[in-house]
Amino acid sequence: SDFIRDGLINTGWRKNIAIPLLDEGMRVLKTAGIELRRAPGGSDVIRLRKVMRLLNTPGMDAVAKTGIGLLNPPRLAVSVFQDLKRKRPTEIDFVNGEIVRLAEESGCEAPYNHKVDLYPRQELRV
């Protein structure tokens, strides 16, 4: 998988999976009383969410796809893909699982994060 081509500029993935997951996670953190701050450097979940929302602006999606096509950057295989290829646990198991746990403790729901949590807590305890 190439995160930029197969994920970030894929309108369906962004609108139906990525943004709902991020929005839900941010809502759960807020409900749990956890303040999310920007991380130093160029990349964090807050910036990623802003970029994805910007790409949803009418016309920006086409601009991004054209730009990626012209620039033809190298494939970006994120660590999740590398872990899946090696059949190792991914950060998804920990990050999304923690969002689900926090949601349960805070009395709210996290259906998107629950859906991608590969190892629910009950299975980890066995």
Side-chain angles (χ1 to χ4, degrees), residues 3-78:
F3 177 69
I4 293 173
R5 291 176 187 86
D6 300 337
L8 200 55
I9 63 170
N10 180 314
T11 307
W13 176 82
R14 207 174 48 247
K15 286 184 177 180
N16 298 311
I17 299 170
I19 291 174
L21 270 168
L22 289 172
D23 287 349
E24 181 179 271
M26 307 269 277
R27 179 185 48 78
V28 168
L29 291 172
K30 184 176 181 178
T31 302
I34 298 170
E35 181 183 349
L36 193 58
R37 295 186 183 150
R38 289 182 106 166
S43 178
D44 65 23
V45 71
I46 295 171
R47 289 179 183 99
L48 176 62
R49 186 171 172 241
K50 284 184 179 182
V51 166
M52 285 193 282
R53 289 189 175 284
L54 176 67
L55 289 172
N56 283 346
T57 305
M60 284 303 295
D61 197 42
V63 169
K65 287 178 182 176
T66 301
I68 294 298
L70 293 173
L71 294 173
N72 196 23
R75 293 180 62 81
L76 178 60
V78 295

Side-chain angles (χ1 to χ4, degrees), residues 100-112:
V100 171
R101 186 189 67 74
L102 284 169
E104 290 171 358
E105 287 180 1
S106 302
C108 61
E109 295 183 0
Y112 285 99

